[in-house]
Amino acid sequence: MNKILLCCAAGMSTSMVVQRMEKAAKDQGIELEIKAIGIEEFQQEIDKYDCCLLGPQIKYKLADFKPIADSLNKPISVINSMDYGMLNGAKILNDTLKLIQA
């Protein structure tokens, strides 16, 4: 089971993305765990997940978080703004699975 961490300013808008990703995973028969958190929880949670996605509104945090994620060998990326805005859970899920497998 893949474990995906989504991080945004407060973890609220990302929760809607989580719901769409979970639905897409269920439709595809993929087992996964996704958790949405706020910026302040990143360091406490990253080691428990396979990868981390940042909401586009906090893409500026990638420079701070990438060295931490790299030190734990965890891929990290920013969610595409269009996919995030359109709540395209299936696209975000597929991009995330590619990120984990890369």
Side-chain angles (χ1 to χ4, degrees), residues 20-32 34 93:
R20 296 294 179 100
M21 291 176 71
E22 288 175 338
K23 182 182 181 317
K26 185 177 178 182
D27 291 347
Q28 296 178 41
I30 298 170
E31 288 188 40
L32 56 81
I34 307 173
L93 174 64

Side-chain angles (χ1 to χ4, degrees), residues 9 18 26 37 40 51 58-59 73-74 80 85 93 98:
V18 168
K26 185 177 178 182
I37 61 167
E40 68 283 348
C51 73
I58 61 159
K59 64 182 177 186
N73 203 23
K74 310 284 184 177
N80 177 286
L93 174 64
K98 290 177 188 171

Side-chain angles (χ1 to χ4, degrees), residues 21-95:
M21 291 176 71
E22 288 175 338
K23 182 182 181 317
K26 185 177 178 182
D27 291 347
Q28 296 178 41
I30 298 170
E31 288 188 40
L32 56 81
E33 178 183 328
I34 307 173
K35 182 177 182 179
I37 61 167
I39 292 171
E40 68 283 348
E41 298 173 80
F42 174 80
Q43 286 191 311
Q44 300 164 2
E45 297 291 332
I46 183 63
D47 64 334
K48 301 172 191 166
Y49 290 84
D50 297 319
C51 73
C52 181
L53 300 176
L54 303 180
Q57 70 274 34
I58 61 159
K59 64 182 177 186
Y60 64 91
K61 294 298 286 182
L62 184 61
D64 296 334
F65 289 171
K66 187 163 178 33
I68 298 166
D70 286 350
S71 72
L72 297 168
N73 203 23
K74 310 284 184 177
I76 186 169
S77 183
V78 177
I79 299 172
N80 177 286
S81 297
M82 183 69 79
D83 295 336
Y84 189 88
M86 299 295 289
L87 297 174
N88 190 344
K91 173 80 165 44
I92 297 168
L93 174 64
N94 290 334
D95 289 349

